[in-house]
Amino acid sequence: MSVAPRSPNMNWLPLPPNLREDLRAAMDPSNPVDRLEKLASLAAYRLGFLESVQLDQAFGQLNLKQALGFLSIRLAILSSSTVDHLAPAIRVAGLRRRLLIDVHNGGFGQYQQDVLDPSSLLHQFAPQVILFSLSAREVIGNVPLTATLEDVDGIVLKFIGELRSLWRKARETNSATIIQQTFVDVTDTLFGSYDRLVPGAPMRVVARLNDRLCEAAAEDGILLLDIARVSERDGIEAWFDARRWFQGKLEIAPQAAPLYGDFVARILAAQHGLSKKCLVLDLDNTLWGGVLGDDGLEGIVVGEGSATGEAYLSVQRYAKQLKEAGVILAVCSKNDLEAAETAFRTHPEMLLRRSDISAFLANWDDKTENLKTIAARLNIGIDSLVFVDDNPVERARIRQSLPGVAVPELPDDVALYVRCLSDAGYFEAVTFTSEDRHRTDLYTANAERAALLGSAQSMDDFLRGLDMSVVSGPFTALDHTRIVQLFSKTNQFNATTRRYTSEEINHFVKLPNVLTLQFRLLDRIGDNGLVSAMILRPTGEDQVLEIDNWVMSCRVFGRGLEFEAMNIAVEAARHLGIKRFIAEYIATPKNNVISALYPSLGFAAASDPEVANGTTRWFLNLADYATCQSHIARAGVGS
Amino acid sequence: MTDQDILTKFDGILRGLLLDDSIVLAMDTQREEVPNWDSFNYINFIVAVELEFGVKFKIADIESFADVGAIVTQLKNMAA
């Protein structure tokens, strides 16, 4: 009897009830949009290799490159092993996040030629994202076992250097985002534990490659797809099967394709601001053991002293760490509000404190309504929420009523909760800035401001009382990461939803005729951080600039910053001899809040106002511009 | 499990992979007789069978299965 193949763990996704029948039903003649919605909902389940292929086949039949409410992305995979079997799972994981991913596979082992030859199929495909999936084999083969550390470093750095010039070339020709897969360790041991002390031992070479790769990626602003780490976590047997390598040069085992696809889609989603933002936690048997209402404050299990208590504490610790990484925490529990808050304020073993929670809802209402309230209070989309609840009935209900909310299939054992949340990858990031570290403080500060608003006589009083000031100027190198992030994460105040890679932002900054502006808002409660950015580019017409995009963080909505920002933009443009602005508003499911932005700033509708579905065009003659009123002073220029 | 039970499961797997509901495999069916069952989809088929039945075929067997019946027979041997 042979041993069954091992598969990577995807336990946070619920098992499909009856996939084969559902797929058949989804394929019944109906319009393609309904079918797509049905397939996207099936993609939310835990699908194995075969199920992913089946769903992908059904998706392929629709032959849809674009659909309303879905984001289309062209992804090219360049590889030194066979990767054809990964494409279906990548597309399925895309559907799981409402992405339509068009996958192009470069020729096996052809990645250098693909990048360097301007007439290659790769360039014809015009990818927005290029994923390099390379094997460490070609490097290991060049390192003799007797190599010194210097020898190894020389070979590794030469390889990484060549890779970097390929990244650069690929970026230049396609202005694509580059993702590099980390090197999977499929090596075998030679000396046993002593391998680690031999620089030329294959496993050491792979480790060195990954070290140098990470340094290069950080320097060049390349994103990593960390298959090396996840394959160690699941066990290399779940990711690599020597038989598949011999059979067809597959370095990623087919049973790992579904998780590989999910890893790819996480990064693509993160890049487009679609990662989750808020962790919503149930209380009883999720953050502590027992039921507060029945067992009382003394009866709940949490903290040192019992193994179970420590396990619950580990959940709290992980939530606290996520908060430090910029994730907003919320509570949604069927409990008495006062009793629940008291537990946070007074229970000595509680690690999470009331002040860690940005929205605290404890009542007996339906959790669907409570989740909607949480999203509204925090001013984030409902699909930015992750709902963590030990009760399978509540989970099933939310999955059904709010399909955009991520609901992990929590294991039965609290000891495994953290692993489940961490494996699910809900909070995948493509940047991490000091703004993130302080994001939750900013939400708390906003709650203070909301309290101030409550006591103010009028909105005007409130705004005046805030003593706001703005620091503005062109994009600075110091704020580069934050600017890239603002454009990639903002969904509501986002005029055109054009996203820019780090490279593209740098490109704009260097162009002489482009006007870039960044805005930092301060008030008496604190620094709101860099909250808005605008790019104005030439149109070809003399003395005219078009607002290519303008974004503003939702945490400063309603403060009148858009008015002062436009005052500043007009002044800066007049300085350059500009006579007219053109602006476009491209409607998405999320940016309705600014549909009337440009008319409110004095822009007039262009003669062809409705260009396409939900897109409106506007213009402003700077000579006619009447300075907008605001309560925001100028604090100076700079960052 | 009878040969036919296994063949029926094979049908389901291959239909899913090739998106062809007309596929009906027999013990003496050879890969070349089934449209689109190329070497890539042969790997996929073997993977899906291994996952479904919880077995791992030997590389030499994978390379030398003469027809569908050989896979069925090998599966039964492994289960025995």
Side-chain angles (χ1 to χ4, degrees):
Chain A
M1 181 76 201
S2 73
V3 183
R6 266 178 52 195
S7 294
N9 159 41
M10 293 182 80
N11 294 349
W12 62 91
L13 296 174
L15 282 168
N18 193 344
L19 187 74
R20 256 168 223 184
E21 263 176 39
D22 283 342
L23 267 179
R24 212 168 288 272
M27 294 307 288
D28 267 352
S30 60
N31 75 63
V33 175
D34 291 346
R35 279 206 219 170
L36 181 63
E37 288 294 344
K38 181 79 188 145
L39 293 177
S41 69
L42 291 176
Y45 289 106
R46 192 191 314 167
L47 306 177
F49 170 68
L50 182 61
E51 289 87 4
S52 296
V53 172
Q54 284 176 317
L55 199 151
D56 181 59
Q57 295 267 25
F59 172 57
Q61 279 200 330
L62 296 181
N63 202 14
L64 279 174
K65 296 264 188 237
Q66 287 179 324
L68 193 68
F70 287 78
L71 191 73
S72 299
I73 298 176
R74 284 189 310 281
L75 166 76
I77 310 179
L78 303 183
S79 67
S80 58
S81 66
T82 300
V83 292
D84 304 71
H85 60 300
L86 302 176
I90 292 173
R91 287 187 288 260
V92 167
L95 285 179
R96 191 172 287 143
R97 293 167 178 79
R98 301 185 77 79
L99 306 174
L100 298 183
I101 307 178
D102 190 358
V103 183
H104 167 86
N105 282 332
F108 167 81
Q110 297 283 305
Y111 64 96
Q112 288 110 331
Q113 294 93 310
D114 278 345
V115 172
L116 299 174
D117 175 5
S119 65
S120 68
L121 289 173
L122 170 73
H123 297 309
Q124 289 172 34
F125 176 70
Q128 294 155 305
V129 183
I130 299 178
L131 166 61
F132 287 87
S133 167
L134 305 184
S135 164
R137 289 166 201 271
E138 50 186 304
V139 183
I140 295 171
N142 291 331
V143 181
L145 199 51
T146 52
T148 63
L149 187 58
E150 289 70 37
D151 297 338
V152 174
D153 242 10
I155 296 167
V156 164
L157 283 175
K158 179 166 175 288
F159 181 80
I160 298 286
E162 287 162 7
L163 199 51
R164 292 175 92 161
S165 62
L166 283 182
W167 293 345
R168 213 163 299 136
K169 187 81 191 163
R171 269 179 164 177
E172 277 167 16
T173 9
N174 300 297
S175 68
T177 301
I178 310 290
I179 304 176
Q180 173 73 49
Q181 183 185 311
T182 51
F183 296 94
V184 180
D185 186 354
V186 300
T187 62
D188 299 302
T189 177
L190 292 170
F191 305 103
S193 301
Y194 193 69
D195 272 0
R196 288 203 190 265
L197 300 175
V198 180
M203 66 91 59
R204 286 295 299 148
V205 177
V206 177
R208 202 71 190 146
L209 255 179
N210 278 324
D211 281 351
R212 293 301 197 178
L213 173 65
C214 295
E215 290 165 16
E219 251 174 59
D220 291 5
I222 296 292
L223 297 173
L224 293 176
L225 177 73
D226 201 359
I227 301 302
R229 184 182 188 192
V230 67
S231 61
E232 276 184 12
R233 217 168 148 75
D234 289 314
I236 193 65
E237 260 187 71
W239 279 84
F240 176 72
D241 186 328
R243 297 169 307 150
R244 308 299 167 228
W245 176 257
F246 300 132
Q247 249 184 306
K249 298 289 170 283
L250 282 64
E251 193 161 82
I252 306 292
Q255 69 266 26
L259 186 51
Y260 186 97
D262 205 68
F263 262 61
V264 173
R266 284 175 196 180
I267 297 181
L268 299 182
Q271 214 205 346
H272 289 90
L274 300 174
S275 283
K276 303 299 174 186
K277 293 179 177 146
C278 173
L279 187 69
V280 184
L281 298 154
D282 170 50
L283 297 179
D284 295 333
N285 292 315
T286 299
L287 278 193
W288 57 64
V291 177
L292 182 64
D294 296 340
D295 305 330
L297 196 55
E298 314 74 34
I300 60 173
V301 182
V302 63
E304 314 288 344
S306 86
T308 311
E310 286 192 32
Y312 282 106
L313 198 60
S314 78
V315 178
Q316 297 199 9
R317 187 172 300 119
Y318 187 61
K320 194 128 180 160
Q321 285 174 326
L322 285 176
K323 182 190 165 225
E324 277 159 29
V327 173
I328 308 162
L329 302 183
V331 159
C332 177
S333 165
K334 288 196 168 149
N335 250 310
D336 177 66
L337 178 63
E338 205 190 315
E341 287 193 313
T342 303
F344 277 75
R345 293 214 161 92
T346 65
H347 196 294
E349 294 287 340
M350 287 282 291
L351 188 66
L352 284 176
R353 308 313 298 181
R354 176 62 187 84
S355 58
D356 292 320
I357 310 296
S358 297
F360 199 110
L361 273 86
N363 53 43
W364 306 97
D365 298 342
D366 182 16
K367 290 203 173 185
T368 302
E369 291 310 313
N370 281 334
L371 289 179
K372 286 185 191 165
T373 306
I374 287 171
R377 277 202 198 164
L378 297 171
N379 206 1
I380 58 178
I382 190 90
D383 49 7
S384 301
L385 305 183
V386 176
F387 173 63
V388 183
D389 198 314
D390 66 296
N391 183 341
V393 177
E394 298 282 9
R395 294 200 298 259
R397 163 131 187 82
I398 297 302
R399 278 193 196 112
Q400 199 247 327
S401 62
L402 301 170
V405 175
V407 185
E409 193 62 1
L410 229 47
D412 288 338
D413 185 350
V414 58
L416 306 175
Y417 285 4
V418 171
R419 172 82 192 256
C420 172
L421 288 176
S422 129
D423 284 348
Y426 295 124
F427 305 106
E428 186 85 18
V430 291
T431 54
F432 183 54
T433 67
S434 60
E435 304 272 341
D436 292 312
R437 251 167 246 149
H438 299 129
R439 187 186 317 160
T440 46
D441 297 342
L442 295 165
Y443 276 90
T444 311
N446 256 358
E448 267 181 62
R449 291 182 186 103
L452 196 61
L453 174 60
S455 65
Q457 297 297 314
S458 69
M459 193 64 191
D460 245 25
D461 275 352
F462 164 67
L463 292 176
R464 206 172 303 119
L466 275 177
D467 294 332
M468 293 181 288
S469 60
V470 61
V471 184
S472 65
F475 293 176
T476 67
L478 203 63
D479 292 306
H480 177 76
T481 311
R482 169 62 180 160
I483 288 163
V484 173
Q485 184 188 50
L486 254 185
F487 280 111
S488 70
K489 281 195 164 176
T490 306
N491 293 315
Q492 299 184 77
F493 193 119
N494 193 329
T496 61
T497 316
R498 285 189 194 113
R499 314 281 187 184
Y500 311 105
T501 62
S502 168
E503 287 287 288
E504 286 169 318
I505 297 284
N506 278 332
H507 186 64
F508 276 125
V509 171
K510 281 183 209 137
L511 287 178
N513 304 323
V514 170
L515 177 61
T516 62
L517 286 168
Q518 60 177 49
F519 305 93
R520 178 181 290 275
L521 186 67
L522 309 144
D523 63 33
R524 68 174 232 219
I525 292 163
D527 183 355
N528 294 271
L530 210 164
V531 287
S532 181
M534 196 191 286
I535 295 175
L536 299 109
R537 57 161 173 80
T539 60
E541 209 180 328
D542 225 21
Q543 300 176 322
V544 177
L545 285 180
E546 172 155 354
I547 301 176
D548 200 64
N549 201 5
W550 180 14
V551 292
M552 190 180 295
S553 164
C554 57
R555 61 174 187 246
V556 296
F557 280 8
R559 311 275 288 274
L561 178 61
E562 60 273 35
F563 300 112
E564 200 51 35
M566 187 49 70
N567 291 342
I568 291 168
V570 168
E571 284 168 30
R574 279 180 179 150
H575 218 69
L576 299 171
I578 299 298
K579 296 271 191 289
R580 174 190 277 225
F581 281 172
I582 309 250
E584 205 169 60
Y585 164 75
I586 301 177
T588 71
K590 292 193 166 179
N591 69 355
N592 190 44
V593 60
I594 55 158
S595 58
L597 171 69
Y598 288 115
S600 77
L601 295 167
F603 281 64
S607 51
D608 53 341
E610 185 97 5
V611 179
N613 230 349
T615 298
T616 52
R617 283 183 71 81
W618 306 87
F619 74 93
L620 177 73
N621 290 323
L622 302 198
D624 305 338
Y625 182 71
T627 303
C628 292
Q629 294 304 307
S630 83
H631 295 288
I632 303 173
R634 307 283 178 86
V637 174
S639 65
Chain B
M1 201 178 260
T2 67
D3 291 357
Q4 190 49 54
D5 292 340
I6 296 174
L7 284 174
T8 306
K9 287 207 164 192
F10 281 12
D11 287 347
I13 290 170
L14 202 55
R15 288 173 184 183
L17 285 172
L18 303 182
L19 200 68
D20 180 353
D21 274 347
S22 70
I23 291 172
V24 182
L25 298 170
M27 292 297 274
D28 63 354
T29 306
Q30 297 194 333
R31 185 153 65 81
E32 297 71 27
E33 298 168 29
V34 182
N36 300 320
W37 198 4
D38 55 15
S39 60
F40 175 64
N41 275 308
Y42 179 59
I43 297 183
N44 287 344
F45 177 76
I46 292 293
V47 170
V49 169
E50 288 189 349
L51 290 170
E52 171 85 29
F53 291 88
V55 297
K56 281 184 184 171
F57 296 115
K58 286 183 199 162
I59 189 74
D61 291 337
I62 295 171
E63 203 174 20
S64 59
F65 288 131
D67 53 21
V68 170
I71 308 177
V72 173
T73 309
Q74 183 61 27
L75 255 186
K76 285 166 67 179
N77 287 341
M78 293 170 103

